[in-house]
Structures are given as C-alpha cells and as structure tokens.
Amino acid sequence: MIGSRFASFQLQAPTFFLPSLPFPSSPRRRFRQECRSRRRTFQTSRTGATSCNCRAGVSKPLGEEQHQLNNQAPNRAYPFHEIEPKWQLYWEENSTFRTPDEVDTSKPKFYVLDMFPYPSGAGLHVGHPLGYTATDILARFKRMQGYNVLHPMGWDAFGLPAEQYAIDTGTHPKVTTLKNINRFRSQLKSLGFSYDWDREISTTEPDYYKWTQWIFLQLLKRGLAYQAEVPVNWCPALGTVLANEEVVDGVSERGGHPVIRKPMRQWMLKITAYADRLLRDLDELDWPESIKEMQRNWIGRSEGAELEFCVLDEDANERYVKITVYTTRPDTIFGVTYLVVAPEHSLLSTIVSVGQSKMVEEYKDLASRKSDLERTELQKEKTGVFSGCYARNPANGEAIPIWVADYVLGSYGTGAIMAVPAHDTRDNEFAAKYNIPVRIVVKPDGDDCVDSSKAFAGEGTVVNSVNSSSGLDINGLPSKAAAAKVIDWAEKYGNGTRKVNYKLRDWLFARQRYWGEPIPVVFSDDTGEIIPLPETDLPLTLPELDDFTPTGTGEPPLTKAVSWVNTVDPLSGKAARRETSTMPQWAGSCWYYLRYMDPKNSKELVDKRKEIYWSPVDVYVGGAEHAVLHLLYSRFWHKVLYDIGIVSTKEPFKCVINQGIILGEVQYTAFKDQDGNYVSADSVNASDELYQEVIPEEKVKKSGDGYVLDENPGIQVMARAHKMSKSRGNVVNPDDVVGEYGADALRLYEMFMGPFRDTKTWNTSGIEGVYRFLGRTWRLIVGSPLADGSFQDGSLVVDVEPSFEQLRSLHRCIAKVTEEIEATRFNTGISAMMEFVNAANKWDNLPRSIAEAFVLVLAPYAPHVAEELWFRLGHSNTLAHAPFPEARSEYLKEAKKVLPVQVNGKTRGTVEVDEGCSEEEAFRIASQDSKLSRFLEGKSIIKTIYVQGKILNVILGGKGAKPKPKPNPDASRIIVQ
C-alpha cells in the first residue's frame, strides 16, 4: 500500500458501553427548559483551541469519555473539534468501511466511484470535495439500506507535472508523488469519507502497472497496438509529445513553452477499430445527454464518398497523380471551385509548383506551430496559400486551383477536401478572402432566391448540375437522391467510392518522458523486429535515474539508462534494445475501476467471480472535462477486455454524473483613470487605458442587478467569480474550513450550495448557515452548553410514544431525504432536515424513537455528529450499518381534510381544514368563506356542533350578534398512536 497510514490524531479508539444516562431533573421539564433556551440567540465563537489533555482511551468508561468532549473551548455550537478526530480514528481502527474480499452475493451491490485524483503538491481545495461528498452520501446511504458497497479511492499518479517538478528541483518524482499522496490521503480522511482504504491503489506501483503492461500486450497481440510515423505536438522545453488538448495558442498548457509539429515514430492504439461499437453502445448508457453527444461528435461518424481529382500539369494535361477527397455532400460536386490539401499532405511536395514552393514551405512551418484544435476552430480567420497547380473536376471537366490551408487536417479523412463555397461556411469564408468563385448548386425547397454571399449548408433541390461529357445529370433531384446518384456514377466510372468515415483518430500512446509506465517490448538489434516481453517477465519496472532532463534530441530520458536499455531478446538471447518511450498518463486510468474489485490479486487482473458480481460501476462521478478522452479510452479498453473474456459487461460505467464547478469567492473590481478617479464599470470601453483596483466586499453594496461603491453609489464595480487557481489567489483550503467549522459543516455546505450538477460560487460566510443547523441539531438532542461552555452527558430524549404530528414530521423528512439522495438532489434533502429540526424545536418533548430515526437520516450527510449523537442515545455500535429509516405511508397522507359545513342541519358547502383542526379554527375558516358567510350574516348563533374531521353544524337563531362559539366537549377527537 502507498505510504504511511494517516495517523495525525493523537486519540485512541473508544470502547463503547451501554450507558445509564443521568438526568438532573425530569426529562420533560428539562426538555422544555432547553427549548426555551434554544429560542434565545446563541452566540458562537470559533477562536481558541481546546485545553483538554484527556484521551478517549480504549479502556475508559463513558464518564471519562464524555469528560473529554465536555472540556472544549466555550461557546462552540457543538464540539466538532473533538467529535471528528474521535470517530475518524474509530472508523480506521475498526475498518468500519472495509468491503470484505468475499461478500454475500445474494445481497444487492452498489459500486460508487470517484474519478481518482492526480495528487498534486497543492493538495485539495474546496472544489475537490464536492464530488467526493456526493459519492460518500450515496455510499453511506446504500450501506444502511443493506447493500454490499464498494467505495474505494486511489491515485492517478504518473504524469508530466511530477516529472517537471523533479527536473526543476532535482527531487525524484517517486519521492514527490508519495509525499503528495500522503497529503491528499490525510485531507480526505479528515473529511470523513467512507472509503475502503484497504483497496487503495496507485498507478505508479509496479504491482498495479504490471497489469497495465499486460493489457498493452493483449492489444499488441490483436493488432490494436502498432507503430507509425505521425505528426505530433513536440515541446522541446518539456521534452515530450503533448496531446492536442495540452496545447493552447501554440504553447504548452503547462509552462507556456513553444510547441511545434513534427513527424515522429510513435506507438498508436487502434481505437478506430471500435468506433462503431463505441458509438452504438452510447444509447444504452444512463449518462448525461450532453456527455454522450460530446462523444458522438468526437467519434464523428459520417457517410459519404471518396472522390478522385486528377492533378494537371502546366499544359492542363492530366498527370498520373490523383488527389482523393472525402465528402459527405457528393450532391454538391458541380459546385466545387477549388481543392484544399492539408499542409502535411503526403502529395504536397510533388504537386507544388516551383514558383510557389517557398511560400508553401513557409506556410507549412507556421501551421506546424498550431494544434489541431486551433487549426479547426470555427471562429478563427482562415489562412492559406496557392500551391501553383490545378486539378480537374471529374463532374464537369473544369480545372480548379489547389490551395494549401491549415483548416484541413492531414489526420482526418484523406487530408484533402473539395471546397464548395456556396454550401460550406468555412469554404465560403476562405473563398471570400481569396476571391475564389462561388457557384450555387443547391436551393432551399420553396425558395428561388439564394444569397451567394452566404453559404447555404442545408439540403434542398439540386440546380446547375448537369454535364453531358461526364454523363452526370442530377438537376432537380433532392439532395439525398442526388448524392446517391453521384456515388453510383463515381463507382461506375472509377472516379470514387462509397465511404463511411470517422473524425476519431487512433490514440497516440507514447510520451517521451521518464515518469510513466514502461512499454513492455524490445527491438531486435539485427532486424528491428518488435518483440513483446513474456507475460511472466512483468512488471517491467522503471530504472532508477538521477537525470530526468530532456535530451533535446527527441530521445526520451530513458535512453540515459544505458544498462537498462541494452538487453537481450527473451526468446533468442540475441542483443536487443528496450522501448524508451513510456505510456501516457491516460493508460493507468483506463482500467483502475477493475483493480479495485480485486486489488491484491497477483495472478490475474481481476478474479472472474468478483468482476461478475461488482461490474459495472453503478455510479461514476467526476468533472465534465473528462467527458471525452478518459471516458472514451476507458470504454475502448473495456470492450477489448470484453472481447477476450476478462470482463462480463460491454460497458464499464452504468451511470456517469458530472458535478458542477465551485468557483472562487466573488471578486469586486473598480476602474480608475490615469488621474486616479473612479470610472463606472458600465461606461468602460475596451480601448480605455484604466487601472483595476480590487475592492473589499464590505465596501460595495447591491444596486439593482449590479454592485456599486458603498461611499460612491454612482460608481458601478465589476463583480465576477473565477475558477479557483493559485495564480488568482482565490483558492480556499478545506483544512482551514474544517479547522473553523468542522468537516460535517463543510460537507453540508458543499451539498447545500445548489444543485449538484450546477456551477456554484464559494462564499465562506455562507457556511455559517449549515454550521448553525448542526448546532441546533446538537442542542435539540444534547442540550445547550453549560456556563463553562461544556455539554451535559447523555441526551434530552424521553421514552414516550410520539404524537401523530411528530411522526408525520419525521416521516415526511425521511421520505424527502430518501427521494433526494436517490436523485442526487442533495441540497433539497438538507432543506428537509432543516425543516424537521425547526419543527422539533417547538415540541414539548423529543421522543427517543424520533431522535434515533432522525440521527440515522442525518448520518450520510454529517457522519461525525451523527455517530456521536447515536452514541449519546445509548448505542454501543457504529450507525454505519444501521438500517436507514423507511417512510411509512400513513404519515405521508395529505394533512388537509374537506369538512362539510351545515347551517341548521342543512349542508351549505365545504371548507378545507387541517387534520386535527380545532372547533374554533373550523368555525373561523367557515365564517370567512364567501359562499358560507352569507348564511351567517346578521344571524345569532345558538351553538355549534363539531365532530373533528367529520362535520361542522352551525345552529342559528334570529337576527343579532354572533356569540363566540364554544368547544363541544362531546365532540369526537382523533387519538393518534
């Protein structure tokens, strides 16, 4: 297991005793006194530390244990600073959340998983626990419902940041990684998450990446791993190949180093072989539709045709060179007025004219500095250069120019397109810039007028599309029929073929860096043949290196481990060299969910029985930034493992949930001119030369939809929340929040901020509300603090039967919280608990059965305080596996009753009243009803006959004043058990 276990708390595990709870006075009288006390304003102070030196020893009786919790800093809302470390230690020492290797498979299972974190040196900020708290609530809830729960945690610990830090500081990445893991682990434990730490994994451990290497060998055996010369994003400063999403504006996302495109021999994984299945199986998944749509777009399946255009020489004769283009709109072939080839197209050097060669080379160099994402961005200005040569349009025989432009990628389709500026927006923008003709060949149905200055990209009726020489006539046909006819014509005359294409590219699976999984192959010195290592030789471990700096040549740092690189063919014994590139960071995260099922298995990736029981992951929670690559790569590997019989399901994750982002606190910015005068934000122009000044929150106030300076309301300020980052200085450390308010308050606040999937803005002062709620809950059951700030032993509960109203309030809370947890609407679940506590504070007593049930409902959200209250209610065991309360339907019925109202024995109408409504209240409601009140006007009331919930009969006399009705002592009353 990774690093040392969390042991920063100096408490020992408590031993529980069934207490004989002392009460200084009558429980009912004491409860009423406490209710009156709770209605007074309770001032809290969170400064100062406890002076208690006692320990919750394993052999101490309850009295001494409670003495420890009583000697706290005065005026805390409740003693979280003692409760939380106590119960965290208890959970750890008693392995409360350990999932046994062998479980009762007759019970239902619930596998809930967080996307495991990269353990950075900065540790957690308050945005991280959002998803972790949600999964923990689900895990605790399902545990209490009797499920076998698998809720593990681990570390995606290989990667460039640790290696770059090693280069900058000279610290080995293994040292840094273990230190960071220990920090992350301690922070997660301090928040009370119920992870099974016995299943902890790290992608950097040889026992783990042995099986990552094993999966690579299976891919290699099946032709799904291969080497190819491909253009890559090469960053000389970082000494590695970067993925497209790691390059922003021509520089590396990390460090801002220049990035260039250059061809390199790289390992590739043939994910395109699974494109259809990856697309088709999305329909079966309970994932956000937006995520599924992003994957569909990334896979980008399209049906169309590959058409061939002959390149012409200087005399307009056809050469023996053809440019193949892929198009989804073959119906527009007569509208082609130029071709575009990618700067990296393999034929470009053979077709470019001598006069244009210099310009083309310069353009290729500029394009090599851009990522694919930058090049294909729709908003960017289109650039290109004429190649100096032409091609013939096979449909009409016209000679059309061939351009080079970076909005076409060599990795997509054929690396060339037929440009139809009348019917494609990008082509239209390009043609407008370079004065290329535009020819309309499709008209919208029912519209005879088409604006040639704008591209019409839709389908319609084909026009201007006939040529007797080529034998192609598609005039007047609908677009779909025209496209089919063009494909048939192309196949008949050898000008093209029908084609299904994908935007999805094979996965570049190599990085020129040290800190990653070694690739388990060698290359024969004699032949260069790729030779896989025998599976019995796994894991192939990283050699120890002191120098991790880039070589500057493109060779990976592992080439410096000469004695490791130079080896022998394991079969023939002949000289060979190891692969010196390592796997990308995505590798270890592609399959980790499987290892959690069987983390210590040294003989196979996962035991078949365990995989069948636990698969698939029921709920997978993480950020939307992983919507495409991580999820797509995991699905690809899972399908390969399914094909070879390792896993039993087609998909790894049944339900994916993306939590929202927590932004930093709102920052208020005022603008000043050169003379230091304030300028209102609503009058600022982009061209103004102004200074920005950050304004403290207490110096601004709300005004309409915006904010203004408190002392100068005419000056509007800019209010904006940003994503938390060290560079902005708006990171909130959860350790600070836990120290001041407690882990349970942080957990509750993150869930209460708003809908789980929405973006939210952090506001430290907002945590006060949930902190006060926990204080009210504590005082409801334990009581208010004594004069010295301590709390009495035991609780305020009484052993009496609850009233119907108390049961109804409880069961409504149970029903609401249960429903909201299942639907991951955690904020409204907290609201239901707050409503219950508010109602309970008005009662004359708190029955034990009500208090115990509510503590169990609270437990998934605020486990520390719930455990302590459960203990004070007389339970010797943890509530972690106690049954979650079930709402009873008889207490959920609508509280309103339709009450018939009679006047002198004749029914005159009905009114709606609360169940249990008093006679006075029933008469008041009836007398205010517009239809009934006219029967009472000017009449004297002799008496009222009221049967609770059944009928109200008003007996009238003659005209006169209406006396106040008196309750009928013989009226029926509802007695609630």
Side-chain angles (χ1 to χ4, degrees):
M1 205 46 63
I2 312 152
S4 61
R5 285 298 178 194
F6 179 56
S8 63
F9 297 122
Q10 299 301 312
L11 302 176
Q12 299 178 31
T15 296
F16 296 105
F17 296 83
L18 283 172
S20 174
L21 299 177
F23 291 101
S25 59
S26 160
R28 186 181 295 270
R29 187 180 305 114
R30 183 180 166 203
F31 188 89
R32 287 173 176 166
Q33 292 170 351
E34 291 297 343
C35 285
R36 286 194 295 271
S37 174
R38 282 193 292 271
R39 292 180 188 127
R40 296 193 299 267
T41 303
F42 184 76
Q43 302 295 328
T44 61
S45 170
R46 294 166 208 87
T47 58
T50 177
S51 58
C52 176
N53 294 317
C54 300
R55 293 189 178 187
V58 293
S59 61
K60 290 180 181 179
L62 176 66
E64 292 184 56
E65 172 101 8
Q66 290 307 122
H67 174 67
Q68 171 203 344
L69 295 186
N70 291 342
N71 286 343
Q72 61 196 354
N75 294 330
R76 286 189 192 271
Y78 73 102
F80 66 83
H81 63 302
E82 299 282 0
I83 292 170
E84 292 178 356
K86 166 188 169 181
W87 286 103
Q88 288 163 15
L89 192 65
Y90 172 85
W91 295 330
E92 182 163 354
E93 294 200 347
N94 290 275
S95 299
T96 302
F97 308 114
R98 180 179 177 272
T99 303
D101 289 335
E102 299 295 332
V103 298
D104 179 2
T105 55
S106 66
K107 294 172 62 177
K109 65 92 177 178
F110 185 69
Y111 185 178
V112 57
L113 184 62
D114 299 292
M115 293 185 184
F116 67 167
Y118 176 80
S120 68
L124 298 176
H125 63 63
V126 292
H128 293 109
L130 178 65
Y132 304 154
T133 303
T135 58
D136 195 60
I137 291 170
L138 290 169
R140 289 176 178 274
F141 174 67
K142 289 296 184 181
R143 236 181 247 117
M144 296 173 76
Q145 286 190 321
Y147 285 71
N148 289 325
V149 172
L150 186 57
H151 187 39
M153 176 50 74
W155 318 105
D156 189 12
F158 272 132
L160 188 58
E163 183 164 348
Q164 195 60 37
Y165 183 82
I167 293 169
D168 295 341
T169 64
T171 308
H172 196 285
K174 177 188 259 185
V175 174
T176 304
T177 299
L178 287 176
K179 178 182 176 182
N180 294 346
I181 285 174
N182 289 336
R183 167 116 172 96
F184 263 66
R185 188 191 303 111
S186 68
Q187 287 185 297
L188 293 177
K189 287 190 174 183
S190 75
L191 295 172
F193 297 134
S194 62
Y195 294 124
D196 179 358
W197 288 105
D198 287 345
R199 293 176 183 261
E200 181 183 18
I201 59 173
S202 169
T203 55
T204 62
E205 293 296 317
D207 287 347
Y208 179 85
Y209 68 69
K210 164 185 177 178
W211 298 105
T212 308
Q213 293 172 336
W214 181 87
I215 294 172
F216 177 85
L217 292 179
Q218 311 315 306
L219 293 165
L220 187 62
K221 286 178 187 177
R222 287 155 182 80
L224 297 171
Y226 65 96
Q227 284 196 307
E229 192 88 6
V230 293
V232 298
N233 301 314
W234 172 252
C235 179
L238 296 178
T240 190
V241 170
L242 300 178
N244 287 332
E245 65 276 4
E246 295 173 312
V247 181
V248 179
D249 297 329
V251 298
S252 63
E253 184 180 36
R254 179 178 175 81
H257 304 294
V259 175
I260 61 172
R261 298 279 287 176
K262 76 172 192 176
M264 290 183 67
R265 191 157 186 81
Q266 298 284 346
W267 282 100
M268 308 290 292
L269 297 188
K270 201 170 185 179
I271 190 173
T272 50
Y274 282 74
D276 270 328
R277 288 168 61 182
L278 289 168
L279 188 64
R280 183 177 62 245
D281 293 345
L282 280 171
D283 295 336
E284 303 173 15
L285 299 177
D286 179 18
W287 290 18
E289 192 56 40
S290 60
I291 300 301
K292 293 198 284 187
E293 192 60 27
M294 287 172 70
Q295 291 215 358
R296 290 187 186 104
N297 291 337
W298 192 268
I299 294 167
R301 185 183 190 275
S302 61
E303 296 181 3
E306 282 188 352
L307 302 175
E308 294 182 343
F309 291 73
C310 285
V311 177
L312 306 179
D313 60 21
E314 294 177 356
D315 299 323
N317 295 317
E318 293 185 358
R319 297 169 54 184
Y320 293 102
V321 179
K322 291 185 177 182
I323 293 178
T324 303
V325 304
Y326 173 76
T327 178
T328 59
R329 295 294 304 273
D331 57 310
T332 63
I333 190 170
F334 283 93
V336 178
T337 57
Y338 65 103
L339 298 184
V340 180
V341 296
E344 58 272 17
H345 196 286
S346 59
L347 292 178
L348 182 55
S349 60
T350 64
I351 63 174
V352 65
S353 70
V354 175
Q356 289 293 104
S357 61
K358 183 179 179 182
M359 293 181 66
V360 168
E361 286 302 314
E362 290 174 351
Y363 185 79
K364 286 171 62 177
D365 181 62
L366 287 173
S368 73
R369 302 178 188 278
K370 300 178 184 179
S371 71
D372 288 355
L373 294 178
E374 290 176 276
R375 286 171 55 178
T376 56
E377 187 179 4
L378 292 177
Q379 289 77 19
K380 85 175 191 73
E381 183 182 0
K382 306 300 180 290
T383 63
V385 60
F386 178 44
S387 69
C389 64
Y390 293 78
R392 191 178 306 285
N393 185 334
N396 57 19
E398 290 181 359
I400 54 177
I402 302 173
W403 284 75
V404 184
D406 64 4
Y407 74 88
V408 176
L409 301 178
S411 58
Y412 176 63
T414 63
I417 65 163
M418 61 179 214
V420 188
H423 305 293
D424 182 274
T425 301
R426 293 186 309 172
D427 296 347
N428 186 275
E429 292 171 357
F430 191 90
K433 181 175 180 178
Y434 293 104
N435 297 314
I436 301 173
V438 176
R439 180 180 297 126
I440 295 171
V441 293
V442 178
K443 286 187 176 182
D445 293 333
D447 190 350
D448 294 331
C449 182
V450 179
D451 184 357
S452 61
S453 65
K454 296 180 181 179
F456 169 63
E459 295 182 348
T461 301
V462 176
V463 296
N464 302 323
S465 298
V466 59
N467 184 273
S468 57
S469 298
S470 65
L472 182 60
D473 180 1
I474 54 175
N475 261 346
L477 293 178
S479 290
K480 278 188 170 52
K485 187 171 181 178
V486 170
I487 295 173
D488 292 341
W489 165 83
E491 290 183 330
K492 179 179 179 180
Y493 292 101
N495 293 320
T497 184
R498 195 178 309 273
K499 181 76 173 178
V500 174
N501 206 14
Y502 299 90
K503 287 191 341 191
L504 180 67
R505 300 294 89 201
D506 281 344
W507 177 8
L508 196 155
F509 195 74
R511 297 289 186 270
Q512 285 62 52
R513 65 183 184 218
Y514 168 72
W515 194 233
E517 299 92 339
I519 295 176
V521 300
V522 298
F523 300 91
S524 168
D525 279 1
D526 291 341
T527 63
E529 177 189 1
I530 300 172
I531 304 165
L533 291 184
E535 293 176 10
T536 53
D537 287 359
L538 302 181
L540 172 62
T541 58
L542 281 170
E544 292 295 328
L545 270 186
D546 296 324
D547 181 10
F548 318 105
T549 56
T551 60
T553 63
E555 289 290 321
L558 279 177
T559 56
K560 300 175 184 180
V562 178
S563 60
W564 182 84
V565 172
N566 295 320
T567 184
V568 296
D569 176 351
L571 298 178
S572 68
K574 294 182 179 179
R577 288 176 57 83
R578 297 194 190 279
E579 172 61 74
T580 52
S581 291
T582 53
M583 299 184 194
Q585 187 173 350
W586 302 106
S589 63
C590 279
W591 70 279
Y592 73 108
Y593 58 92
L594 293 171
R595 193 59 177 171
Y596 283 138
M597 301 175 187
D598 197 11
K600 297 178 175 62
N601 193 332
S602 61
K603 300 187 185 314
E604 54 188 336
L605 186 147
V606 60
D607 178 81
K608 189 68 177 175
R609 291 180 303 106
K610 294 176 181 178
E611 185 279 325
I612 290 173
Y613 179 72
W614 288 114
S615 286
V617 175
D618 293 287
V619 176
Y620 192 34
V621 175
E625 65 271 20
H626 301 298
V628 176
L629 297 183
H630 162 62
L631 289 174
L632 197 63
Y633 293 159
S634 293
R635 294 180 63 221
F636 165 46
W637 276 31
H638 191 89
K639 290 182 183 300
V640 174
L641 294 174
Y642 176 78
D643 289 347
I644 63 178
I646 302 299
V647 298
S648 58
T649 62
K650 293 190 297 182
E651 290 286 340
F653 313 118
K654 181 179 179 181
C655 173
V656 168
I657 300 175
N658 297 131
Q659 80 269 21
I661 296 172
I662 295 182
L663 302 176
E665 296 202 57
V666 174
Q667 186 179 76
Y668 303 94
T669 305
F671 298 92
K672 284 185 173 182
D673 61 20
Q674 302 292 327
D675 298 324
N677 300 313
Y678 283 115
V679 178
S680 188
D682 56 357
S683 61
V684 171
N685 297 313
S687 58
D688 294 341
E689 293 186 6
L690 300 173
Y691 299 103
Q692 295 185 14
E693 178 183 345
V694 176
I695 306 297
E697 184 178 6
E698 60 270 18
K699 292 188 176 182
V700 301
K701 64 181 180 181
K702 192 88 166 72
S703 177
D705 294 331
Y707 291 84
V708 296
L709 291 177
D710 191 27
E711 296 181 352
N712 190 351
I715 299 298
Q716 191 176 89
V717 299
M718 182 175 66
R720 184 178 176 186
H722 300 271
K723 191 173 181 179
M724 289 188 186
S725 67
K726 287 192 295 182
S727 62
R728 288 193 178 274
N730 64 347
V731 171
V732 179
N733 189 329
D735 298 351
D736 298 335
V737 180
V738 170
E740 187 169 359
Y741 298 100
D744 284 341
L746 175 61
R747 290 167 60 111
L748 277 181
Y749 178 57
E750 298 224 347
M751 295 296 98
F752 194 57
M753 291 173 73
F756 178 55
R757 295 161 176 80
D758 289 2
T759 296
K760 297 165 278 287
T761 301
W762 178 266
N763 184 352
T764 301
S765 62
I767 202 170
E768 293 277 357
V770 293
Y771 178 72
R772 287 194 298 270
F773 161 68
L774 290 173
R776 288 195 302 272
T777 302
W778 176 265
R779 297 192 300 278
L780 174 70
I781 296 174
V782 175
S784 295
L786 303 176
D788 63 355
S790 64
F791 291 90
Q792 297 190 58
D793 295 343
S795 69
L796 297 179
V797 300
V798 291
D799 292 310
V800 298
E801 288 296 316
S803 69
F804 183 86
E805 284 301 316
Q806 288 173 327
L807 287 167
R808 186 168 65 179
S809 183
L810 171 69
H811 283 269
R812 282 181 170 180
C813 177
I814 293 170
K816 185 65 173 176
V817 172
T818 300
E819 178 185 352
E820 302 305 76
I821 291 178
E822 293 279 13
T824 63
R825 294 188 294 261
F826 304 108
N827 56 323
T828 47
I830 296 172
S831 295
M833 290 187 282
M834 289 178 170
E835 290 173 8
F836 171 83
V837 170
N838 288 340
N841 269 295
K842 299 174 184 176
W843 297 342
D844 288 337
N845 61 37
L846 181 63
R848 180 180 299 278
S849 60
I850 298 288
E852 289 182 339
F854 178 69
V855 167
L856 293 175
V857 170
L858 177 66
Y861 285 86
H864 304 91
V865 69
E867 286 276 22
E868 183 63 26
L869 293 173
W870 188 248
F871 173 49
R872 281 173 172 264
L873 288 168
H875 297 275
S876 58
N877 293 319
T878 172
L879 55 62
H881 299 278
F884 195 86
E886 293 185 8
R888 292 172 56 179
S889 59
E890 60 264 36
Y891 301 117
L892 303 179
K893 295 176 182 176
E894 191 61 43
K896 295 288 185 181
K897 288 275 190 179
V898 176
L899 181 72
V901 179
Q902 294 181 341
V903 178
N904 291 335
K906 187 174 182 178
T907 301
R908 295 296 187 180
T910 61
V911 293
E912 192 174 67
V913 298
D914 290 329
E915 190 170 302
C917 178
S918 67
E919 182 176 341
E920 293 94 329
E921 181 67 4
F923 179 81
R924 185 189 66 79
I925 294 172
S927 64
Q928 292 177 354
D929 183 86
S930 59
K931 292 182 179 179
L932 294 171
S933 61
R934 62 189 178 91
F935 293 102
L936 306 179
E937 288 177 0
K939 305 290 179 65
S940 63
I941 299 173
I942 297 174
K943 66 175 180 178
T944 59
I945 300 170
Y946 178 60
V947 181
Q948 194 177 68
K950 301 291 186 182
I951 195 168
L952 172 67
N953 188 6
V954 182
I955 307 300
L956 302 177
K959 292 184 178 182
K962 293 183 285 186
K964 183 178 179 181
K966 297 180 180 179
N968 182 359
D970 299 322
S972 300
R973 293 190 301 130
I974 299 176
I975 307 298
V976 180
Q977 299 295 331

